[in-house]
Amino acid sequence: MYLCFKKILTSVFLVFILVPTPHGYFGLTAREALSINELLTAHKDDESSIYNLSKAKVCDTLYLPRQQKKMCRRGKGIAMTLVQALRLASMECAHQFSMERWNCTLAQYRQKLLRKGFKETSFLYAISSAGLVHAFASACSKGSLDRCTCDESKHLENTKAWMWGGCGHNIRFGLKFTRKFLKRARKSGKDIRAKIDEHNSHVGIKVVKDNVKTVCKCHGVSGSCTMKSCWRQLSSFHKIGTILKSKYEHAVKVGAYTNHATEKSRHKRLKGPSVSSEVLSARRGDLLYLDNSPSFCGSGRYSPGTSGRVCDKDNNCEVICCGRGYNVLHKQVQRSCQCQVIWCCKVNCKRCLHEEKIHMCK
């Protein structure tokens, strides 16, 4: 049983490493995407060797700005937790946009995309900062970092919850590290774009913070609750991504104007094609953007387009294929069939051929 479970875990880990990973992006890092593809590809033959790399090697591979690189090299586990945060954010972004025209493709399009204030850029800032908080708060509870441990919030009934098998995620450390890390790459300029980027990063941080829950466990004779231990637990990152995707869909477009009395630049909400004269302060939870997004239909500066994309005939082919239609491909696949349960714990199945239809945009 143990050997089988170990084999399954090893297989899952290998698949996770070898599957092409999207380029990730940490919010306020000189508007550059950070790729871990090179790091993973160089060590795909031995999945354990990635954890044996020196901190300096990992930090250099992430192409961090100087101040962030110093933080990366400081302390045990920080470098690999940054890799985990990057992977977490990039994979969730790809999942949330998998059925849309823009499917979180960055790669060679990243620099041009991130120079614009699109809704997609806003989501990237938010999901990347959320990934940092989530990864570092989790790493503390796993003992991966030497600068923090389990959460010990004073308001909880038992601050030594770990004695009963509970180790809270250290959200306080995750928030502190993320804010400091992003601040290290923040430019001194305070133009409207810089303010919006910073705002969107804070939205991602706030969503993680607002979705922390308290979990309690009772201890006592016959199930009584004579003693109770509690700890704080992060929501799944998939839930965080879903919330941020909803905010993306309801993002607020803003425009810049200059207050001639104070010569300070501010932003105002735009209503459709016309500009509202009323200056509105954006709510803390809104994602903000400046520029209308391109269609992402054809190959261009911001994406490879949707030609050749697989779509769902009953759901999104019309949207993804941009009205061009789709080709239908027939594929033979083997699946388990005619399964029989043999007492007590064995299942015998045959392998049958099935034909699948794949719809691909023209």
Side-chain angles (χ1 to χ4, degrees), residues 23-80:
H23 284 62
Y25 178 66
F26 289 142
L28 302 173
T29 50
R31 298 180 187 174
E32 287 289 342
L34 305 175
S35 172
I36 56 173
N37 285 340
E38 296 176 24
L39 185 64
L40 298 181
T41 302
H43 299 272
K44 65 182 180 180
D45 295 330
D46 179 9
E47 74 275 10
S48 64
S49 66
I50 188 174
Y51 294 99
N52 296 326
L53 294 176
S54 66
K55 290 181 289 185
K57 177 64 177 176
V58 176
C59 298
D60 288 342
T61 306
L62 291 177
Y63 304 113
L64 296 169
R66 185 171 60 88
Q67 291 298 322
Q68 285 187 335
K69 189 174 292 186
K70 284 184 179 180
M71 290 186 66
C72 179
R73 293 177 174 178
R74 202 177 296 160
K76 171 194 170 186
I78 291 180
M80 289 312 302

Side-chain angles (χ1 to χ4, degrees), residues 181-285:
F181 185 77
L182 296 182
K183 188 177 181 180
R184 289 293 182 268
R186 193 174 301 159
K187 295 184 177 181
S188 58
K190 284 293 180 180
D191 60 5
I192 187 67
R193 174 62 197 280
K195 290 180 180 179
I196 288 177
D197 292 343
E198 183 179 347
H199 170 89
N200 290 326
S201 287
H202 287 308
V203 170
I205 293 172
K206 187 175 185 297
V207 168
V208 178
K209 181 181 178 182
D210 290 348
N211 285 276
V212 174
K213 51 191 176 183
T214 300
V215 179
C216 294
K217 183 177 180 180
C218 287
H219 315 282
V221 181
S222 300
S224 64
C225 202
T226 54
M227 180 178 288
K228 182 168 66 171
S229 57
C230 299
W231 58 91
R232 296 202 295 175
Q233 182 174 307
L234 294 163
S235 294
S236 70
F237 199 68
H238 177 59
K239 179 180 179 180
I240 302 301
T242 301
I243 294 172
L244 289 176
K245 180 58 161 50
S246 177
K247 290 181 178 294
Y248 159 86
E249 292 168 351
H250 299 90
V252 176
K253 184 177 182 181
V254 296
Y257 86 108
T258 301
N259 185 331
H260 295 288
T262 62
E263 294 301 322
K264 291 182 178 180
S265 177
R266 293 188 177 182
H267 60 269
K268 56 188 175 184
R269 190 186 302 255
L270 302 186
K271 296 181 178 179
S274 61
V275 179
S276 170
S277 59
E278 182 182 5
V279 178
L280 298 174
S281 297
R283 291 179 298 176
R284 287 185 63 194

